[in-house]
């Protein structure tokens, strides 16, 4: 009888025990949102956050590694998932991560180096060239500005407490960062080896946290988390069939550095294994990131729907704390720069002690200083409480010396080599020295200039002293034949204001120019006057618009060159180009070659030359593969000689309107584009253009 009663009571007891276990599992608990690393795959985290927001959930703690630290830092700063999505769409992330594209300095102009060496503490090292360090650091300082001002050195003061996970280079141990500059913390957590430099914080050099703990669940539990929502970004295993590709094997070896964490999820956890294996770590294209966000939404929606504790989690969710931003700057200081440089930086940031904080100007200043090649990083390091904030701005100097080399080849103009460099240590760092030597079959020149920033009406302007020596063999043609080249030599001196090209921003130079030159069959001549120009770069290697004038005693010359590009559907882009030039009593080396460095369809480069020029073109490029484009360019133009306007010269091509089309293939390579095209003019003349690299 007793046994029968026990058997009858056993199911009830087991049910009560199971209910008690589930009740304990679903009871309110400190919850951590854990965001793993994985480069561009981290955009899946944004979709996960959108689902968490839609369910009315909030974690008590956010812990992130690498891209997880960047996304997590924004979320902990009070941004919603949708706000993070909108914020990241406005930023040029894709432009910052690129193939190998090293850079010496914008002071050398729009030329592409093949390789660059930088002076480090123990000698010269090869520049990685995959990212622009100053751009990435400024990007993160701007992105994390709100959180940085809210935290003011203590990440527990954020709307949601936050931790970034990095790796100690020396010990390979896990480093959990919960204080200091928020942007610097997430930058350390995302310092992918080879791609980004380590970050020095305290007495440690830190790299990507994925090397120590890519999915920092253990860190979250060590901080008291009893429940975790874990968003993972799985890596695909290597495909041996791709090992013949050096870039692929490099990526495989790089991925092998990261800890492939084995996650043991507890019953109360929510494990979100995003389907990211087919995505590349460094592909930040808009289409890819949109797909990743959708992957995150779908995976998180399914994971939370399957959670047995979803209702109790939602009912016990904490609300985000409302934190006020500071409004008053109490003190300002800086380190890592000379006093003059530091004062200039603080002025651009709009930081003045005992004055109101202008967050908009501060953000604008951060982005502006990213173009100052003297600095590699800028960290605000704010502290304070309430409405007050103190800034201890830390400037990381750029390499003090760097130099590079570049090459190009053209079947018309033969090979060309440049060697150039910059030294920022002259006169204790007060003066920059720049040298550029360009050597080719038909043209050789050496350009040297010193530049110092001078204070003019509370603004610093770049004052330069420049000297150039140049030899050019101007090619001359008659019909199908070529005449002996006109050998010219020239010495130029310049003093004035000289700015560097910047993408999408008008810059310029103006100053006093004096020069001496010699042409065939003429005595040595000299002149002096004003040199003025305004220019705006379309890319690091292409001039978008240019207006230039030389107003000399002996001759005058002016020209403008404008361009516009449109990106169309179907992987197609269209570029329009218009240029015109006018000159009076020009030396032969200053005359205009129709079509400029690219020449004119159907003619040899430099074959049509005169004192006046009008030229226009329309280029259509269609992407065939990621590395290959088809090109078709339509051209029209005219050159002439003499006073006044373009005019027809009987018995010559001068003043005759020409039309033409050039078509071919362009391939992207590590040394720059390789173009193979054939052109035909309205006169019936044909010419093939073969060019390797970007001409300079």
């Amino acid at each position: 009888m007793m046994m029968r009663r026990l058997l009858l009571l056993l199911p009830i007891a087991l049910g009560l025990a199971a209910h008690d276990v589930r009740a304990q599992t679903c009871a309110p608990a400190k919850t951590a949102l854990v965001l793993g690393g994985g480069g561009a795959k981290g955009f899946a985290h944004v979709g996960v956050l959108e689902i968490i927001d839609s369910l009315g959930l909030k974690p008590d703690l956010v812990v992130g590694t690498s891209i997880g630290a960047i996304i997590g830092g924004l979320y902990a700063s009070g941004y919603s998932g949708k706000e993070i999505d909108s914020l990241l769409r406005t930023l040029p992330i894709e432009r910052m991560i690129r193939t190998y594209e090293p850079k010496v300095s914008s002071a050398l102009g729009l030329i592409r180096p093949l390789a660059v060496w930088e002076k480090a503490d123990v000698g010269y090292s090869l520049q990685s060239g995959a990212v622009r360090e100053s751009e990435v650091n400024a990007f993160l300082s701007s992105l994390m500005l709100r959180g940085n001002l809210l935290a003011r050195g203590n990440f527990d003061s954020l709307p949601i407490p936050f931790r970034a996970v990095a790796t100690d280079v020396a010990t390979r141990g896990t480093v959990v960062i919960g204080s200091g500059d928020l942007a610097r913390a997430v930058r350390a957590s995302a310092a992918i080896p080879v791609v980004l430099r380590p970050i020095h914080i305290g007495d440690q050099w830190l790299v990507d946290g994925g090397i120590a703990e890519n999915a920092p669940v253990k860190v979250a539990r060590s901080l008291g988390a009893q429940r975790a929502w874990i968003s993972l970004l799985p890596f695909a295993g290597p495909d041996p069939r791709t090992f013949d590709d050096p870039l692929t094997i490099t990526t495989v070896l790089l991925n092998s550095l990261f800890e492939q964490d084995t996650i043991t999820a507890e019953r109360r956890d929510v494990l979100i294994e995003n389907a990211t294996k087919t995505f590349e770590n460094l592909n930040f294209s808009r289409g890819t990131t949109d797909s990743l966000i959708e992957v995150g939404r779908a995976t998180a929606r399914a994971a939370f729907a399957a959670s047995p504790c979803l209702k109790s989690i939602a009912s016990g969710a904490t609300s985000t704390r409302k934190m006020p931003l500071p409004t008053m700057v109490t003190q300002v200081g800086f380190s890592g720069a000379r006093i003059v440089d530091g004062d200039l930086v603080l002025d651009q940031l709009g930081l003045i002690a005992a004055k109101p904080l202008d967050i908009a100007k501060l953000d604008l200043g951060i982005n502006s200083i990213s173009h100052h090649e003297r600095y590699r990083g800028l960290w605000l390091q704010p502290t304070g409480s309430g409405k007050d904030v103190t800034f201890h701005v830390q400037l990381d100097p750029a390499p003090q010396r760097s130099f590079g080399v570049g090459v190009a080849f053209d079947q018309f103009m033969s090979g060309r080599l440049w060697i150039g460099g910059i030294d920022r240590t002259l006169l204790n760092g007060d003066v920059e020295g720049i040298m550029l030597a360009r050597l080719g079959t038909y043209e050789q020149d050496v350009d040297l200039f010193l530049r110092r920033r001078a204070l003019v009406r509370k603004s610093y302007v770049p004052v330069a002293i420049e000297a150039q020596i140049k030899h050019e063999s101007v090619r001359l043609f008659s019909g199908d034949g070529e005449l002996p080249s006109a050998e010219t030599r020239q010495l130029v001196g310049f003093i004035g204001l000289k700015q560097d090209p910047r993408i999408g921003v008008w810059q310029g130079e103006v100053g006093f120019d004096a020069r001496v030159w010699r042409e065939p069959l003429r005595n040595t001549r000299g002149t002096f006057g004003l040199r003025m120009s305004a220019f705006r770069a379309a890319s690091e290697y292409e001039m978008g618009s240019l207006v230039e004038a030389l107003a000399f005693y002996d001759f005058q010359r002016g020209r403008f060159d404008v361009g516009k590009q449109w990106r169309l559907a179907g992987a197609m882009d269209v570029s329009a180009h218009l240029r015109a030039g006018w000159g009076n009593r020009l030396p032969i080396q200053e005359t205009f070659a129709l079509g400029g460095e690219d020449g004119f369809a159907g003619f040899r480069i430099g074959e049509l030359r005169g004192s006046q020029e009008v030229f226009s073109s329309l280029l259509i490029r269609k992407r065939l593969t990621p590395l290959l484009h088809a090109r078709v360019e339509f051209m029209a133009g005219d050159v002439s000689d003499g006073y006044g306007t373009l005019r027809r010269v009987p018995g010559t091509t001068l003043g005759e309107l020409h039309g033409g089309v050039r078509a071919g293939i362009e391939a992207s390579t590590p040394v720059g584009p390789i173009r193979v095209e054939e052109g035909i003019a309205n006169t019936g003349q044909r010419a093939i253009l073969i060019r390797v690299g970007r001409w300079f």
Side-chain angles (χ1 to χ4, degrees), residues 511-575:
F512 181 80
D513 185 302
R515 56 185 63 190
V516 177
W517 72 95
R518 185 165 189 175
E519 303 172 69
L521 306 177
R522 290 196 177 189
N523 295 327
T524 300
R525 301 165 62 191
T527 191
F528 60 89
L530 292 177
R531 184 169 99 197
M532 300 163 284
S533 66
F535 42 82
R536 182 176 62 182
S539 71
E540 289 188 337
Y541 313 119
E542 295 177 299
M543 185 63 71
S545 300
L546 168 69
V547 180
E548 180 184 62
L550 301 177
F552 293 156
Y553 175 78
D554 202 58
F555 70 87
Q556 298 80 43
R557 183 180 191 267
R559 69 180 177 118
F560 74 86
D561 194 335
V562 295
K564 180 69 175 177
Q565 184 179 66
W566 299 270
R567 295 197 180 278
L568 307 179
M572 183 179 293
D573 59 75
V574 176
S575 301

Side-chain angles (χ1 to χ4, degrees), residues 543-625:
M543 185 63 71
S545 300
L546 168 69
V547 180
E548 180 184 62
L550 301 177
F552 293 156
Y553 175 78
D554 202 58
F555 70 87
Q556 298 80 43
R557 183 180 191 267
R559 69 180 177 118
F560 74 86
D561 194 335
V562 295
K564 180 69 175 177
Q565 184 179 66
W566 299 270
R567 295 197 180 278
L568 307 179
M572 183 179 293
D573 59 75
V574 176
S575 301
H577 196 69
L578 176 64
R579 57 182 282 167
W582 174 89
N584 175 36
R585 297 187 297 180
L586 294 182
I588 191 170
Q589 71 271 17
E590 296 288 351
T591 55
F592 301 100
L594 185 62
E597 293 177 344
D598 269 6
F600 195 89
F603 292 91
R604 294 159 290 190
I605 294 175
E607 183 172 352
L608 302 176
R609 181 182 290 273
S611 295
Q612 290 93 40
E613 177 199 18
V614 173
F615 171 81
S616 64
S617 70
L618 184 69
L619 170 64
I620 302 172
R621 295 170 74 246
K622 167 71 175 178
R623 190 176 69 182
L624 305 177
T625 73

Side-chain angles (χ1 to χ4, degrees), residues 426-443:
L426 303 181
L427 296 182
N428 295 319
D430 196 40
V431 172
E432 292 179 333
I434 297 96
M435 182 279 291
L436 176 63
R438 293 174 291 194
L439 310 172
T441 303
Y442 298 100
E443 185 177 346

Side-chain angles (χ1 to χ4, degrees), residues 113-153:
L114 187 61
V116 173
W117 290 264
E118 297 176 332
K119 178 68 168 65
D121 293 336
V122 291
Y124 282 90
S125 60
L126 189 66
Q127 187 185 92
S128 74
V131 298
R132 299 285 184 263
E133 192 80 28
S134 60
E135 289 181 9
V136 171
N137 292 341
F139 164 74
L140 290 176
S141 287
S142 177
L143 196 64
M144 298 293 162
L145 181 57
R146 176 166 128 181
N148 223 355
L149 293 173
L150 291 174
R152 275 168 276 182

Side-chain angles (χ1 to χ4, degrees), residues 50-57 300-301 304-305 310 314:
E50 290 181 5
I51 296 302
I52 290 175
D53 291 340
S54 70
L55 295 172
L57 307 178
R301 190 180 292 113
F304 278 102
L310 181 59

Side-chain angles (χ1 to χ4, degrees), residues 183-196:
R184 202 177 190 186
V186 300
R187 167 65 177 80
S189 180
I192 303 172
V194 181
V195 178
L196 289 167

